Amino acid sequence: MPSSDHCCVPGCTSHCSKRPELSFHVFPSGVEPRQQWLHAIRRDEGPFFSVTANTVVCSTHFGEDDFFQQLGEATEPQAKRCRRLKKGSVLSVFAFRTPPSTARPSKEERLAAGVVRAAKLKTLKDAPKRGESEAEFG
Protein backbone atom coordinates (compact mmCIF):
# COMPACT_ATOMS: atom_id res chain seq x y z
CA MET A 1 0.00 0.00 0.00
CA PRO A 2 1.43 3.42 -0.90
CA SER A 3 2.54 5.57 1.96
CA SER A 4 2.21 9.32 2.34
CA ASP A 5 5.92 9.60 3.13
CA HIS A 6 7.35 7.84 0.05
CA CYS A 7 7.32 9.20 -3.51
CA CYS A 8 5.32 7.00 -5.93
CA VAL A 9 7.32 7.92 -9.07
CA PRO A 10 9.04 4.83 -10.52
CA GLY A 11 12.74 4.86 -9.72
CA CYS A 12 12.46 7.64 -7.11
CA THR A 13 13.64 6.70 -3.64
CA SER A 14 12.65 9.92 -1.87
CA HIS A 15 11.29 9.33 1.61
CA CYS A 16 10.38 12.08 4.06
CA SER A 17 12.55 10.67 6.85
CA LYS A 18 15.57 10.46 4.52
CA ARG A 19 15.03 13.80 2.73
CA PRO A 20 13.39 16.28 5.15
CA GLU A 21 14.18 19.17 2.81
CA LEU A 22 11.62 17.89 0.26
CA SER A 23 7.90 18.52 0.18
CA PHE A 24 5.42 15.77 -0.73
CA HIS A 25 2.24 16.43 -2.70
CA VAL A 26 -0.97 14.40 -3.02
CA PHE A 27 -2.53 13.76 -6.41
CA PRO A 28 -5.12 16.29 -7.59
CA SER A 29 -8.73 15.29 -7.10
CA GLY A 30 -9.91 16.27 -10.60
CA VAL A 31 -10.02 13.52 -13.22
CA GLU A 32 -8.09 15.40 -15.92
CA PRO A 33 -5.23 16.66 -13.68
CA ARG A 34 -4.93 13.22 -12.09
CA GLN A 35 -4.65 11.61 -15.55
CA GLN A 36 -1.96 14.17 -16.50
CA TRP A 37 0.06 13.24 -13.41
CA LEU A 38 -0.35 9.50 -14.08
CA HIS A 39 0.73 9.99 -17.69
CA ALA A 40 3.73 12.06 -16.59
CA ILE A 41 4.96 9.38 -14.17
CA ARG A 42 4.27 6.63 -16.73
CA ARG A 43 1.93 4.64 -14.52
CA ASP A 44 -1.57 3.30 -14.96
CA GLU A 45 -3.98 2.46 -12.18
CA GLY A 46 -4.60 -1.25 -11.92
CA PRO A 47 -4.00 -4.25 -9.65
CA PHE A 48 -0.44 -3.16 -8.79
CA PHE A 49 -0.93 0.60 -8.38
CA SER A 50 -3.81 2.82 -7.37
CA VAL A 51 -3.98 6.44 -6.32
CA THR A 52 -5.26 6.85 -2.77
CA ALA A 53 -5.39 9.77 -0.35
CA ASN A 54 -1.89 8.67 0.76
CA THR A 55 -0.26 8.53 -2.68
CA VAL A 56 2.28 11.34 -3.01
CA VAL A 57 4.93 12.77 -5.33
CA CYS A 58 8.02 14.52 -4.00
CA SER A 59 8.99 18.07 -4.93
CA THR A 60 12.02 16.97 -6.99
CA HIS A 61 9.65 16.16 -9.88
CA PHE A 62 8.38 19.74 -10.21
CA GLY A 63 10.08 22.84 -11.53
CA GLU A 64 10.66 25.85 -9.28
CA ASP A 65 8.00 27.77 -11.27
CA ASP A 66 5.39 25.22 -10.18
CA PHE A 67 5.46 26.49 -6.57
CA PHE A 68 4.08 29.63 -4.96
CA GLN A 69 6.74 31.99 -3.63
CA GLN A 70 7.40 31.64 0.11
CA LEU A 71 6.66 34.69 2.23
CA GLY A 72 8.10 35.34 5.66
CA GLU A 73 11.06 33.91 7.51
CA ALA A 74 11.49 30.15 7.85
CA THR A 75 14.35 27.73 8.09
CA GLU A 76 15.30 26.13 4.79
CA PRO A 77 13.95 22.59 5.50
CA GLN A 78 10.73 23.97 6.96
CA ALA A 79 10.22 26.29 3.98
CA LYS A 80 10.64 23.41 1.54
CA ARG A 81 8.23 21.13 3.41
CA CYS A 82 5.52 23.83 3.44
CA ARG A 83 5.68 24.66 -0.27
CA ARG A 84 2.38 24.81 -2.13
CA LEU A 85 1.93 23.84 -5.76
CA LYS A 86 0.23 26.20 -8.18
CA LYS A 87 -3.05 25.00 -9.65
CA GLY A 88 -2.51 23.04 -12.85
CA SER A 89 1.12 22.10 -12.10
CA VAL A 90 2.19 18.86 -13.76
CA LEU A 91 5.31 16.85 -12.97
CA SER A 92 8.11 17.42 -15.43
CA VAL A 93 11.43 16.36 -13.87
CA PHE A 94 12.33 12.67 -14.03
CA ALA A 95 15.43 10.50 -14.05
CA PHE A 96 13.91 8.37 -16.84
CA ARG A 97 13.80 11.28 -19.26
CA THR A 98 17.10 11.00 -21.11
CA PRO A 99 18.54 13.94 -23.01
CA PRO A 100 18.56 13.61 -26.81
CA SER A 101 22.35 13.21 -26.90
CA THR A 102 22.16 9.92 -24.99
CA ALA A 103 18.90 8.68 -26.48
CA ARG A 104 18.85 5.37 -28.32
CA PRO A 105 19.39 5.73 -32.09
CA SER A 106 16.26 5.43 -34.22
CA LYS A 107 15.41 2.13 -35.90
CA GLU A 108 16.52 3.52 -39.25
CA GLU A 109 19.89 4.58 -37.79
CA ARG A 110 20.39 1.15 -36.19
CA LEU A 111 19.51 -0.61 -39.48
CA ALA A 112 21.85 1.65 -41.44
CA ALA A 113 24.66 0.93 -38.98
CA GLY A 114 24.01 -2.80 -39.38
CA VAL A 115 24.24 -2.54 -43.19
CA VAL A 116 27.56 -0.67 -42.91
CA ARG A 117 28.92 -3.30 -40.49
CA ALA A 118 27.80 -6.12 -42.79
CA ALA A 119 29.53 -4.48 -45.78
CA LYS A 120 32.75 -4.07 -43.77
CA LEU A 121 32.62 -7.72 -42.68
CA LYS A 122 32.12 -8.87 -46.28
CA THR A 123 35.07 -6.72 -47.40
CA LEU A 124 37.25 -8.17 -44.68
CA LYS A 125 36.12 -11.71 -45.50
CA ASP A 126 36.87 -11.24 -49.22
CA ALA A 127 40.25 -9.54 -48.64
CA PRO A 128 43.41 -11.58 -49.37
CA LYS A 129 44.81 -13.36 -46.37
CA ARG A 130 48.31 -12.76 -45.15
CA GLY A 131 50.83 -14.34 -47.49
CA GLU A 132 48.48 -14.50 -50.48
CA SER A 133 49.18 -12.27 -53.42
CA GLU A 134 46.45 -10.40 -55.19
CA ALA A 135 47.01 -12.56 -58.28
CA GLU A 136 46.38 -15.75 -56.29
CA PHE A 137 43.35 -14.15 -54.65
CA GLY A 138 41.77 -12.94 -57.84
Side-chain angles (χ1 to χ4, degrees):
M1 178 171 164
S3 172
S4 61
D5 55 2
H6 184 268
C7 182
C8 72
V9 174
C12 184
T13 58
S14 295
H15 193 278
C16 73
S17 64
K18 295 177 188 173
R19 305 272 314 266
E21 73 278 8
L22 299 180
S23 56
F24 290 79
H25 307 276
V26 296
F27 274 69
S29 57
V31 174
E32 182 65 28
R34 180 181 294 231
Q35 287 304 318
Q36 289 176 337
W37 281 34
L38 287 168
H39 179 75
I41 66 171
R42 300 179 183 180
R43 291 190 91 165
D44 291 319
E45 290 192 89
F48 302 110
F49 176 77
S50 62
V51 176
T52 68
N54 296 325
T55 307
V56 294
V57 175
C58 72
S59 56
T60 61
H61 303 294
F62 295 94
E64 285 300 317
D65 293 342
D66 292 326
F67 295 98
F68 287 107
Q69 289 290 95
Q70 292 291 311
L71 300 174
E73 301 279 330
T75 62
E76 183 65 19
Q78 181 184 6
K80 293 265 187 182
R81 288 181 73 85
C82 297
R83 295 197 302 176
R84 288 184 48 225
L85 284 172
K86 293 177 181 175
K87 185 175 183 170
S89 294
V90 179
L91 304 81
S92 59
V93 182
F94 303 99
F96 51 74
R97 302 229 176 181
T98 56
S101 61
T102 60
R104 182 177 182 196
S106 69
K107 185 175 182 179
E108 291 79 21
E109 292 170 326
R110 291 192 315 272
L111 287 172
V115 169
V116 169
R117 274 193 298 265
K120 284 182 182 178
L121 287 174
K122 182 170 180 5
T123 303
L124 290 173
K125 184 178 178 185
D126 293 342
K129 295 185 177 51
R130 203 181 294 188
E132 293 179 348
S133 70
E134 296 218 6
E136 292 174 359
F137 180 70

